[in-house]
Amino acid sequence: MEESYIRSVARRFSYHKAGMVSLAVVILIAAAALLAPVIAPYGYEDIVGGISQPPGPGHLLGTDGIGRDMFSRLLYGTRTSLFVGLAATLLSTAVGVVLGLVAGYFGGIWDMILMRFTDMVMSFPYILLVLVASVIFKPGMWNIILILGFVDWTGVARLVRGNVLAVKDENYVQAARLAGMPRRHLLFSEILPNVIAPVLVFATSVMALSILDEAALSFLGMGVQPPDPSLGNLLNGAQSLTVLGSMPWLWLAPGLTIVLLVVCVNFVGDALRDAVDPTTMR
Amino acid sequence: MTRYILKRLGVALIVLFGITVIDFFIMTLAGNPVEILSGGPKVSEAMLAQRAENLGLNKPVYVQYVNWLNAVLHGDFGYSYKTYEPVSQMIRARLAPTLILMGTSLALSLVIAVSAGIYAAVHRRSAGDYAVVTGAFLGQSVPQFFLALVLIAVFSVNLGWLPSSGIRKLGSAGSGVQFRYLILPCLVLAFGMAGSNIRYIRSAMLEILNKDYLRTARGKGLGRTLVIWKHALRNALIPIITVIGMEIPGLFGGSIIIEQMFGWQGLGLMTMNAILGRDYPVIMAMCLISAVVVLAANLITDILYAVADPTVRLE
């Protein structure tokens, strides 16, 4: 039964052409990022060539302002950005699932407190909250993960709460409750499996958002700190008009990588949504 | 109806109170502004203590909070740690450019999102539909700062058509925003917002087009154009209201980064500078103001909802 559900989701997913192509691209980028130490011709901190050399043989994407190989930095930067995106998504999804489960299942005063708290977090413009937090805590990769993770759980929490409310009174949950099953079993074995699919779909958009936010923060100098590369801080140099106008290799490639990555993650999410819920109207 | 509005208002006030508490305590958690203010070896301990006392920073946190809240309720956000100007005055001076930028981008994004969304829904599964949806995905996926960089590189640096920074020509008469300066930041903000809303409008419209009353209208022999413009659009009002409500927080966030990149002398740039300089009174004021605006937008959305759709249950 379980197997056939997953198989039917996979089948419907495979019908979604854009989704399949995007999945392949995401896997390709992830593999390149993961294998950065193997693929990259140079280390990301090594000064290996002339200053700001345009792309050519030897340096596929040219060199940056102090003579580091841009292609190698791009690979390592993608690695950092993907990791931040993934870790922040895992964290915020976990926080959101737990809070949503508690609010939806226990209801009453807990629901009230948690949902009002969710409203409060949601009322701060997201990026303002992230920016303020990134100044308070020293910028750096792990802090970015924690900040994004602890700010972006509100959507998941609301989603899970809504789904829990919908299934809580279903017969099979009532039956398990009447059979005297412990609360742990009700929450994690009866209710949670029913909310996993929508959460998974939602998580892809959280991931896309996290990658975008890391990029913006690092671009502004409040995220991953140089010399460690990330897709965002690789674009730092583009804040000078000379670089922007006449040295496109210093900022175009990382920017396009972000766009490609986020577009593909979004398409995968879209295909997943259709695959999980065949009734949605297209 | 009045009861419903009052209830929503009550909830919003509770949330707002919570926000002021969070706002304030995050800031006190951030560290001692006196040290940040007067870093440098020449400042003596006694001067620091005097400074702290003047700013009321030597009192317990909850006393500071009550004092701050009391002042805020009287419209006093304190003085900037950096420029010593009253914060409310700083805000007033920078409000107009931000409102102009936000207003024009919101309007532009709505025009794009509503027309493209409806077009895609009506021509479902056509090449045009796929183009719109793909464009929407792109709008959602391009980081605003990257789009800004590309536009500046193309239109300001290479073509030299549009200015890349500021709100008006230096030294020109008057004091308002000049249109040429508005184009690029407005495009960047509108593009991102439209991207995330086109698909929402499209699917809402698809749902409406499938409703029975539209089938009836078509069945009666009404032309396609009439059906769409007269019957469907009216019902599309609700998703459009929702979209406006959803865009408000994004507008605030987006304008912080975009104003910074385009040197747009508005509230966003001021907030960014305050964040970088740890100018707490300014940061707290801006957090509070944006939260109030977001809450008000939510409240108005809820109320308009109830007005536009009589079936919304007024608990």
Side-chain angles (χ1 to χ4, degrees):
Chain A
M1 185 61 201
E2 187 67 12
E3 177 64 28
S4 77
Y5 172 69
I6 290 173
R7 204 172 289 166
S8 73
V9 167
R11 180 174 50 76
R12 283 194 296 268
F13 188 92
S14 68
Y15 292 155
H16 199 297
K17 260 178 271 161
M20 287 301 279
V21 173
S22 302
L23 186 63
V25 174
V26 170
I27 290 175
L28 201 71
I29 294 177
L34 210 63
L35 295 174
V38 184
I39 302 174
Y42 306 99
Y44 62 87
E45 278 184 281
D46 301 345
I47 294 167
V48 291
I51 289 167
S52 302
Q53 295 291 311
H59 299 291
L60 222 51
L61 293 175
T63 58
D64 70 2
I66 56 170
R68 294 172 297 194
D69 181 54
M70 276 304 282
F71 180 62
S72 308
R73 286 183 66 73
L74 182 64
L75 282 174
Y76 279 101
T78 309
R79 193 176 152 102
T80 315
S81 293
L82 266 180
F83 179 73
V84 171
L86 200 63
T89 305
L90 284 177
L91 183 61
S92 60
T93 307
V95 173
V97 165
V98 169
L99 294 184
L101 267 183
V102 170
Y105 186 79
F106 293 100
I109 184 86
W110 285 109
D111 186 29
M112 221 282 285
I113 293 173
L114 287 175
M115 283 303 114
R116 288 297 86 79
F117 183 61
T118 310
D119 287 344
M120 286 171 204
V121 177
M122 280 181 133
S123 300
F124 284 103
Y126 178 69
I127 201 78
L128 183 58
L129 203 56
V130 172
L131 282 172
V132 169
S134 66
V135 170
I136 295 173
F137 307 103
K138 292 269 166 293
M141 191 182 77
W142 287 103
N143 275 335
I144 292 306
I145 293 174
L146 290 178
I147 290 168
L148 293 179
F150 280 112
V151 171
D152 204 12
W153 50 267
T154 50
V156 183
R158 284 194 162 179
L159 180 76
V160 171
R161 173 181 175 271
N163 276 288
V164 170
L165 286 178
V167 299
K168 185 164 106 169
D169 295 321
E170 292 283 329
N171 285 337
Y172 58 90
V173 180
Q174 296 291 9
R177 200 198 324 265
L178 289 175
M181 292 306 228
R183 190 173 274 163
R184 187 165 33 88
H185 173 87
L186 289 177
L187 274 176
F188 293 103
S189 301
E190 301 290 344
I191 293 179
L192 193 57
N194 285 291
V195 302
I196 279 184
V199 166
L200 209 61
V201 172
F202 197 85
T204 55
S205 60
V206 174
M207 169 109 181
L209 210 66
S210 302
I211 294 174
L212 285 177
D213 288 335
E214 181 278 322
L217 277 177
S218 301
F219 171 71
L220 294 171
M222 296 182 190
V224 176
Q225 296 295 303
D228 292 341
S230 87
L231 288 179
N233 73 19
L234 284 178
L235 283 131
N236 267 342
Q239 274 165 344
S240 111
L241 287 184
T242 1
V243 170
L244 201 56
S246 50
M247 302 174 185
W249 66 90
L250 285 180
W251 58 277
L252 211 49
L256 291 176
T257 309
I258 301 172
V259 175
L260 185 66
L261 196 58
V262 176
V263 167
C264 289
V265 169
N266 276 331
F267 267 122
V268 169
D270 201 46
L272 204 58
R273 184 191 335 263
D274 291 351
V276 161
D277 181 5
T279 61
T280 44
M281 199 153 3
R282 300 290 306 156
Chain B
M1 189 62 168
T2 320
R3 258 196 73 193
Y4 173 75
I5 294 175
L6 282 179
K7 197 181 160 190
R8 301 292 319 173
L9 198 63
V11 171
L13 282 177
I14 296 172
V15 171
L16 187 60
F17 174 71
I19 286 172
T20 63
V21 176
I22 299 179
D23 192 13
F24 189 83
F25 283 91
I26 288 180
M27 290 306 151
T28 47
L29 201 106
N32 187 347
V34 174
E35 282 166 20
I36 303 157
L37 261 177
S38 41
K42 284 183 188 155
V43 185
S44 72
E45 285 291 318
M47 276 172 77
L48 282 183
Q50 181 60 44
R51 194 65 181 279
E53 201 180 318
N54 290 346
L55 292 168
L57 292 167
N58 54 347
K59 300 201 182 77
V61 171
Y62 63 89
V63 176
Q64 288 184 41
Y65 171 73
V66 172
N67 288 342
W68 174 73
L69 190 63
N70 187 35
V72 164
L73 288 177
H74 291 91
D76 172 13
F77 289 103
Y79 292 84
S80 159
Y81 286 169
K82 296 277 162 184
T83 63
Y84 306 107
E85 267 180 279
V87 176
S88 46
Q89 195 178 311
M90 290 171 74
I91 291 174
R92 225 172 297 135
R94 288 164 183 82
L95 190 60
T98 294
L99 285 183
I100 291 172
L101 178 59
M102 284 184 174
T104 47
S105 3
L106 183 66
L108 182 62
S109 82
L110 271 182
V111 170
I112 299 173
V114 171
S115 48
I118 291 178
Y119 173 86
V122 174
H123 301 90
R124 190 172 164 206
R125 291 190 204 285
S126 70
D129 179 19
Y130 288 121
V132 166
V133 172
T134 311
F137 259 112
L138 215 59
Q140 230 179 331
S141 310
V142 177
Q144 284 183 331
F145 72 89
F146 181 60
L147 183 61
L149 288 178
V150 173
L151 291 183
I152 292 176
V154 174
F155 293 105
S156 300
V157 183
N158 287 329
L159 293 174
W161 290 354
L162 294 167
S164 67
S165 174
I167 58 172
R168 57 183 291 99
K169 197 163 181 221
L170 283 177
S172 56
S175 63
V177 170
Q178 286 173 354
F179 180 69
R180 272 160 51 80
Y181 288 76
L182 179 64
I183 298 174
L184 289 183
C186 173
L187 275 180
V188 175
L189 275 176
F191 187 67
M193 279 190 295
S196 46
N197 292 321
I198 286 176
R199 295 200 308 148
Y200 184 83
I201 300 266
R202 177 183 174 273
S203 58
M205 199 65 192
L206 276 180
E207 212 165 294
I208 292 166
L209 288 175
N210 265 352
K211 287 268 165 67
D212 289 340
Y213 53 81
L214 278 198
R215 266 190 228 142
T216 313
R218 270 193 299 260
K220 281 197 306 191
L222 289 183
R224 195 164 117 134
T225 323
L226 196 65
V227 168
I228 290 166
W229 284 102
K230 197 148 175 231
H231 294 257
L233 258 187
R234 235 168 123 176
N235 291 285
L237 209 60
I238 292 177
I240 293 173
I241 293 172
T242 318
V243 161
I244 299 178
M246 289 191 306
E247 280 183 348
I248 299 291
L251 259 181
F252 261 95
S255 71
I256 295 181
I257 292 178
I258 294 308
E259 286 191 8
Q260 155 94 356
M261 291 194 65
F262 286 97
W264 189 265
Q265 279 114 24
L267 291 178
L269 187 61
M270 183 186 81
T271 310
M272 194 67 189
N273 288 336
I275 290 172
L276 290 173
R278 302 202 167 188
D279 196 346
Y280 295 145
V282 178
I283 302 179
M284 285 197 288
M286 283 313 297
C287 280
L288 197 60
I289 288 172
S290 47
V292 169
V293 173
V294 171
L295 280 176
N298 289 345
L299 193 66
I300 294 170
T301 311
D302 283 347
I303 293 170
L304 285 180
Y305 236 72
V307 174
D309 181 1
T311 57
V312 167
R313 199 155 43 106
L314 309 178
E315 304 166 56

Short mmCIF file of all heavy atoms in Angstrom, two decimals, chain B residues 148-195:
data_model
loop_
_atom_site.label_atom_id
_atom_site.label_comp_id
_atom_site.label_asym_id
_atom_site.label_seq_id
_atom_site.Cartn_x
_atom_site.Cartn_y
_atom_site.Cartn_z
N ALA B 148 18.60 43.74 -10.11
CA ALA B 148 19.02 45.14 -10.03
C ALA B 148 20.39 45.31 -10.66
O ALA B 148 20.61 46.25 -11.44
CB ALA B 148 19.03 45.60 -8.57
N LEU B 149 21.31 44.39 -10.37
CA LEU B 149 22.66 44.48 -10.94
C LEU B 149 22.61 44.42 -12.46
O LEU B 149 23.25 45.21 -13.15
CB LEU B 149 23.54 43.33 -10.42
CG LEU B 149 24.00 43.39 -8.98
CD1 LEU B 149 24.81 42.16 -8.63
CD2 LEU B 149 24.83 44.64 -8.74
N VAL B 150 21.81 43.46 -12.98
CA VAL B 150 21.73 43.31 -14.43
C VAL B 150 21.17 44.58 -15.07
O VAL B 150 21.72 45.09 -16.06
CB VAL B 150 20.85 42.09 -14.80
CG1 VAL B 150 20.62 42.04 -16.30
CG2 VAL B 150 21.50 40.81 -14.31
N LEU B 151 20.09 45.12 -14.49
CA LEU B 151 19.49 46.32 -15.07
C LEU B 151 20.44 47.51 -15.02
O LEU B 151 20.54 48.28 -15.96
CB LEU B 151 18.17 46.65 -14.34
CG LEU B 151 17.02 45.68 -14.57
CD1 LEU B 151 15.77 46.15 -13.86
CD2 LEU B 151 16.73 45.52 -16.06
N ILE B 152 21.16 47.64 -13.89
CA ILE B 152 22.12 48.75 -13.78
C ILE B 152 23.22 48.57 -14.82
O ILE B 152 23.60 49.52 -15.51
CB ILE B 152 22.72 48.83 -12.36
CG1 ILE B 152 21.65 49.23 -11.35
CG2 ILE B 152 23.85 49.86 -12.32
CD1 ILE B 152 22.13 49.24 -9.92
N ALA B 153 23.71 47.32 -14.95
CA ALA B 153 24.79 47.06 -15.90
C ALA B 153 24.35 47.41 -17.32
O ALA B 153 25.09 48.04 -18.06
CB ALA B 153 25.24 45.60 -15.82
N VAL B 154 23.12 47.01 -17.66
CA VAL B 154 22.66 47.24 -19.03
C VAL B 154 22.25 48.70 -19.26
O VAL B 154 22.77 49.37 -20.15
CB VAL B 154 21.48 46.30 -19.37
CG1 VAL B 154 20.92 46.65 -20.75
CG2 VAL B 154 21.93 44.86 -19.34
N PHE B 155 21.32 49.18 -18.46
CA PHE B 155 20.71 50.48 -18.76
C PHE B 155 21.49 51.68 -18.23
O PHE B 155 21.35 52.77 -18.76
CB PHE B 155 19.27 50.51 -18.24
CG PHE B 155 18.38 49.57 -18.98
CD1 PHE B 155 17.97 48.39 -18.40
CD2 PHE B 155 17.96 49.86 -20.27
CE1 PHE B 155 17.15 47.50 -19.09
CE2 PHE B 155 17.15 48.98 -20.97
CZ PHE B 155 16.75 47.80 -20.38
N SER B 156 22.27 51.48 -17.16
CA SER B 156 23.00 52.64 -16.65
C SER B 156 24.43 52.65 -17.15
O SER B 156 24.90 53.64 -17.70
CB SER B 156 23.01 52.60 -15.12
OG SER B 156 21.71 52.62 -14.64
N VAL B 157 25.13 51.51 -16.95
CA VAL B 157 26.55 51.53 -17.25
C VAL B 157 26.81 51.42 -18.74
O VAL B 157 27.54 52.22 -19.31
CB VAL B 157 27.27 50.39 -16.48
CG1 VAL B 157 28.77 50.46 -16.75
CG2 VAL B 157 26.98 50.49 -15.00
N ASN B 158 26.18 50.45 -19.41
CA ASN B 158 26.50 50.24 -20.82
C ASN B 158 25.74 51.16 -21.76
O ASN B 158 26.33 51.76 -22.66
CB ASN B 158 26.28 48.77 -21.20
CG ASN B 158 27.38 47.90 -20.61
OD1 ASN B 158 28.52 48.35 -20.44
ND2 ASN B 158 27.04 46.67 -20.26
N LEU B 159 24.43 51.27 -21.58
CA LEU B 159 23.66 52.11 -22.50
C LEU B 159 23.62 53.58 -22.05
O LEU B 159 23.44 54.47 -22.87
CB LEU B 159 22.23 51.58 -22.62
CG LEU B 159 22.09 50.21 -23.30
CD1 LEU B 159 20.66 49.73 -23.22
CD2 LEU B 159 22.55 50.29 -24.74
N GLY B 160 23.77 53.77 -20.73
CA GLY B 160 23.75 55.13 -20.21
C GLY B 160 22.39 55.82 -20.32
O GLY B 160 22.31 57.04 -20.35
N TRP B 161 21.32 55.04 -20.39
CA TRP B 161 19.99 55.63 -20.54
C TRP B 161 19.41 56.14 -19.22
O TRP B 161 18.74 57.14 -19.18
CB TRP B 161 19.01 54.60 -21.14
CG TRP B 161 19.28 54.30 -22.56
CD1 TRP B 161 20.19 54.91 -23.37
CD2 TRP B 161 18.65 53.30 -23.36
NE1 TRP B 161 20.17 54.36 -24.61
CE2 TRP B 161 19.23 53.37 -24.65
CE3 TRP B 161 17.65 52.36 -23.12
CZ2 TRP B 161 18.84 52.52 -25.68
CZ3 TRP B 161 17.25 51.52 -24.14
CH2 TRP B 161 17.84 51.60 -25.41
N LEU B 162 19.61 55.35 -18.17
CA LEU B 162 18.94 55.67 -16.91
C LEU B 162 19.96 55.79 -15.78
O LEU B 162 20.99 55.12 -15.80
CB LEU B 162 17.93 54.57 -16.56
CG LEU B 162 16.74 54.46 -17.52
CD1 LEU B 162 15.99 53.17 -17.28
CD2 LEU B 162 15.81 55.65 -17.33
N PRO B 163 19.67 56.64 -14.81
CA PRO B 163 20.59 56.79 -13.68
C PRO B 163 20.56 55.54 -12.79
O PRO B 163 19.55 54.84 -12.73
CB PRO B 163 20.04 58.00 -12.93
CG PRO B 163 18.60 58.06 -13.31
CD PRO B 163 18.49 57.50 -14.69
N SER B 164 21.67 55.27 -12.13
CA SER B 164 21.75 54.05 -11.33
C SER B 164 21.55 54.33 -9.85
O SER B 164 21.39 53.41 -9.06
CB SER B 164 23.10 53.37 -11.53
OG SER B 164 24.10 54.20 -10.99
N SER B 165 21.54 55.57 -9.47
CA SER B 165 21.50 55.85 -8.04
C SER B 165 20.88 57.20 -7.74
O SER B 165 21.03 58.14 -8.52
CB SER B 165 22.93 55.79 -7.49
OG SER B 165 22.94 56.19 -6.15
N GLY B 166 20.19 57.28 -6.62
CA GLY B 166 19.60 58.54 -6.20
C GLY B 166 18.13 58.64 -6.56
O GLY B 166 17.56 57.73 -7.17
N ILE B 167 17.50 59.76 -6.15
CA ILE B 167 16.09 59.93 -6.46
C ILE B 167 15.89 61.12 -7.39
O ILE B 167 14.82 61.33 -7.93
CB ILE B 167 15.22 60.12 -5.19
CG1 ILE B 167 15.70 61.32 -4.39
CG2 ILE B 167 15.23 58.89 -4.34
CD1 ILE B 167 14.77 61.66 -3.23
N ARG B 168 16.92 61.91 -7.59
CA ARG B 168 16.79 63.07 -8.45
C ARG B 168 18.17 63.53 -8.86
O ARG B 168 19.17 63.17 -8.26
CB ARG B 168 16.05 64.19 -7.72
CG ARG B 168 16.74 64.58 -6.39
CD ARG B 168 16.00 65.63 -5.63
NE ARG B 168 16.07 66.90 -6.32
CZ ARG B 168 15.09 67.38 -7.10
NH1 ARG B 168 13.99 66.72 -7.26
NH2 ARG B 168 15.21 68.52 -7.72
N LYS B 169 18.19 64.36 -9.91
CA LYS B 169 19.47 64.87 -10.40
C LYS B 169 20.06 65.81 -9.35
O LYS B 169 19.35 66.67 -8.83
CB LYS B 169 19.26 65.61 -11.72
CG LYS B 169 20.54 65.80 -12.47
CD LYS B 169 20.23 66.16 -13.92
CE LYS B 169 21.54 66.32 -14.65
NZ LYS B 169 21.59 67.40 -15.55
N LEU B 170 21.33 65.63 -9.06
CA LEU B 170 21.97 66.48 -8.06
C LEU B 170 21.93 67.93 -8.52
O LEU B 170 22.21 68.24 -9.67
CB LEU B 170 23.43 66.06 -7.86
CG LEU B 170 23.62 64.81 -7.01
CD1 LEU B 170 25.09 64.45 -6.93
CD2 LEU B 170 23.04 64.99 -5.62
N GLY B 171 21.55 68.82 -7.61
CA GLY B 171 21.58 70.24 -7.94
C GLY B 171 20.39 70.73 -8.73
O GLY B 171 20.31 71.91 -9.06
N SER B 172 19.44 69.83 -9.09
CA SER B 172 18.29 70.29 -9.85
C SER B 172 17.27 70.94 -8.92
O SER B 172 17.24 70.66 -7.72
CB SER B 172 17.65 69.14 -10.61
OG SER B 172 17.31 68.11 -9.73
N ALA B 173 16.46 71.82 -9.49
CA ALA B 173 15.53 72.57 -8.67
C ALA B 173 14.43 71.65 -8.11
O ALA B 173 14.17 70.57 -8.64
CB ALA B 173 14.90 73.68 -9.52
N GLY B 174 13.80 72.10 -7.03
CA GLY B 174 12.73 71.32 -6.42
C GLY B 174 13.29 70.28 -5.48
O GLY B 174 14.49 70.28 -5.17
N SER B 175 12.42 69.37 -4.99
CA SER B 175 12.92 68.40 -4.03
C SER B 175 12.30 67.03 -4.22
O SER B 175 12.57 66.12 -3.47
CB SER B 175 12.65 68.89 -2.61
OG SER B 175 11.26 68.99 -2.42
N GLY B 176 11.45 66.85 -5.22
CA GLY B 176 10.73 65.59 -5.35
C GLY B 176 11.52 64.51 -6.02
O GLY B 176 12.71 64.65 -6.30
N VAL B 177 10.84 63.38 -6.26
CA VAL B 177 11.43 62.26 -6.96
C VAL B 177 11.32 62.51 -8.46
O VAL B 177 10.28 62.98 -8.92
CB VAL B 177 10.69 60.96 -6.59
CG1 VAL B 177 11.13 59.82 -7.48
CG2 VAL B 177 10.88 60.63 -5.13
N GLN B 178 12.38 62.21 -9.21
CA GLN B 178 12.28 62.36 -10.66
C GLN B 178 12.02 61.02 -11.32
O GLN B 178 12.61 60.02 -10.94
CB GLN B 178 13.55 63.01 -11.20
CG GLN B 178 13.60 64.50 -10.87
CD GLN B 178 14.92 65.14 -11.25
OE1 GLN B 178 15.85 64.46 -11.66
NE2 GLN B 178 14.98 66.44 -11.09
N PHE B 179 11.15 61.05 -12.32
CA PHE B 179 10.66 59.82 -12.93
C PHE B 179 11.77 58.91 -13.44
O PHE B 179 11.76 57.70 -13.23
CB PHE B 179 9.69 60.16 -14.06
CG PHE B 179 9.12 58.97 -14.75
CD1 PHE B 179 8.23 58.13 -14.08
CD2 PHE B 179 9.49 58.64 -16.04
CE1 PHE B 179 7.72 57.01 -14.70
CE2 PHE B 179 8.99 57.52 -16.67
CZ PHE B 179 8.10 56.70 -16.00
N ARG B 180 12.77 59.51 -14.11
CA ARG B 180 13.86 58.71 -14.66
C ARG B 180 14.55 57.86 -13.59
O ARG B 180 15.03 56.77 -13.86
CB ARG B 180 14.91 59.63 -15.29
CG ARG B 180 14.66 60.00 -16.75
CD ARG B 180 15.43 61.26 -17.12
NE ARG B 180 16.85 61.19 -16.74
CZ ARG B 180 17.77 60.55 -17.46
NH1 ARG B 180 17.43 59.96 -18.57
NH2 ARG B 180 19.03 60.53 -17.07
N TYR B 181 14.60 58.41 -12.38
CA TYR B 181 15.28 57.71 -11.29
C TYR B 181 14.42 56.58 -10.72
O TYR B 181 14.90 55.68 -10.08
CB TYR B 181 15.66 58.69 -10.19
CG TYR B 181 16.79 59.61 -10.58
CD1 TYR B 181 16.59 60.68 -11.44
CD2 TYR B 181 18.08 59.37 -10.10
CE1 TYR B 181 17.62 61.51 -11.82
CE2 TYR B 181 19.14 60.19 -10.47
CZ TYR B 181 18.90 61.26 -11.33
OH TYR B 181 19.94 62.06 -11.70
N LEU B 182 13.12 56.72 -10.96
CA LEU B 182 12.17 55.77 -10.38
C LEU B 182 12.12 54.47 -11.18
O LEU B 182 11.86 53.39 -10.63
CB LEU B 182 10.78 56.42 -10.33
CG LEU B 182 9.61 55.62 -9.79
CD1 LEU B 182 9.85 55.29 -8.32
CD2 LEU B 182 8.32 56.41 -9.92
N ILE B 183 12.40 54.56 -12.50
CA ILE B 183 12.12 53.43 -13.40
C ILE B 183 12.77 52.12 -12.95
O ILE B 183 12.09 51.12 -12.75
CB ILE B 183 12.55 53.78 -14.84
CG1 ILE B 183 11.75 54.99 -15.33
CG2 ILE B 183 12.33 52.59 -15.78
CD1 ILE B 183 12.18 55.51 -16.68
N LEU B 184 14.11 52.14 -12.78
CA LEU B 184 14.79 50.87 -12.49
C LEU B 184 14.37 50.24 -11.16
O LEU B 184 13.98 49.07 -11.14
CB LEU B 184 16.31 51.06 -12.56
CG LEU B 184 16.89 51.28 -13.96
CD1 LEU B 184 18.41 51.37 -13.90
CD2 LEU B 184 16.47 50.19 -14.92
N PRO B 185 14.44 50.97 -10.03
CA PRO B 185 14.03 50.31 -8.77
C PRO B 185 12.59 49.82 -8.81
O PRO B 185 12.27 48.75 -8.28
CB PRO B 185 14.24 51.39 -7.71
CG PRO B 185 14.49 52.65 -8.42
CD PRO B 185 14.97 52.31 -9.79
N CYS B 186 11.72 50.60 -9.45
CA CYS B 186 10.31 50.22 -9.53
C CYS B 186 10.16 48.92 -10.33
O CYS B 186 9.43 48.01 -9.93
CB CYS B 186 9.51 51.35 -10.16
SG CYS B 186 7.82 50.93 -10.50
N LEU B 187 10.89 48.82 -11.45
CA LEU B 187 10.82 47.60 -12.27
C LEU B 187 11.26 46.38 -11.47
O LEU B 187 10.62 45.33 -11.50
CB LEU B 187 11.73 47.74 -13.50
CG LEU B 187 11.14 48.44 -14.71
CD1 LEU B 187 12.16 48.48 -15.83
CD2 LEU B 187 9.89 47.70 -15.18
N VAL B 188 12.38 46.52 -10.74
CA VAL B 188 12.91 45.38 -9.97
C VAL B 188 11.89 44.91 -8.94
O VAL B 188 11.58 43.71 -8.84
CB VAL B 188 14.22 45.76 -9.27
CG1 VAL B 188 14.70 44.62 -8.39
CG2 VAL B 188 15.29 46.11 -10.28
N LEU B 189 11.35 45.86 -8.17
CA LEU B 189 10.38 45.48 -7.13
C LEU B 189 9.13 44.85 -7.74
O LEU B 189 8.62 43.84 -7.26
CB LEU B 189 9.99 46.71 -6.31
CG LEU B 189 10.90 47.06 -5.13
CD1 LEU B 189 10.44 48.35 -4.49
CD2 LEU B 189 10.91 45.93 -4.11
N ALA B 190 8.64 45.47 -8.82
CA ALA B 190 7.39 45.00 -9.42
C ALA B 190 7.55 43.61 -10.03
O ALA B 190 6.68 42.75 -9.90
CB ALA B 190 6.90 45.99 -10.48
N PHE B 191 8.69 43.37 -10.66
CA PHE B 191 8.92 42.10 -11.33
C PHE B 191 8.85 40.93 -10.34
O PHE B 191 8.17 39.94 -10.57
CB PHE B 191 10.30 42.13 -12.02
CG PHE B 191 10.57 40.95 -12.89
CD1 PHE B 191 9.84 40.73 -14.04
CD2 PHE B 191 11.58 40.04 -12.56
CE1 PHE B 191 10.11 39.64 -14.85
CE2 PHE B 191 11.85 38.95 -13.36
CZ PHE B 191 11.11 38.75 -14.51
N GLY B 192 9.56 41.09 -9.22
CA GLY B 192 9.57 40.02 -8.21
C GLY B 192 8.17 39.76 -7.65
O GLY B 192 7.73 38.62 -7.54
N MET B 193 7.47 40.85 -7.32
CA MET B 193 6.14 40.68 -6.73
C MET B 193 5.17 40.07 -7.73
O MET B 193 4.40 39.18 -7.39
CB MET B 193 5.60 42.04 -6.29
CG MET B 193 6.15 42.48 -4.98
SD MET B 193 5.26 43.91 -4.39
CE MET B 193 5.68 45.13 -5.60
N ALA B 194 5.22 40.55 -8.97
CA ALA B 194 4.31 40.02 -9.98
C ALA B 194 4.56 38.52 -10.15
O ALA B 194 3.62 37.73 -10.23
CB ALA B 194 4.51 40.76 -11.31
N GLY B 195 5.83 38.14 -10.16
CA GLY B 195 6.17 36.73 -10.35
C GLY B 195 5.48 35.83 -9.35
O GLY B 195 4.92 34.79 -9.71
#
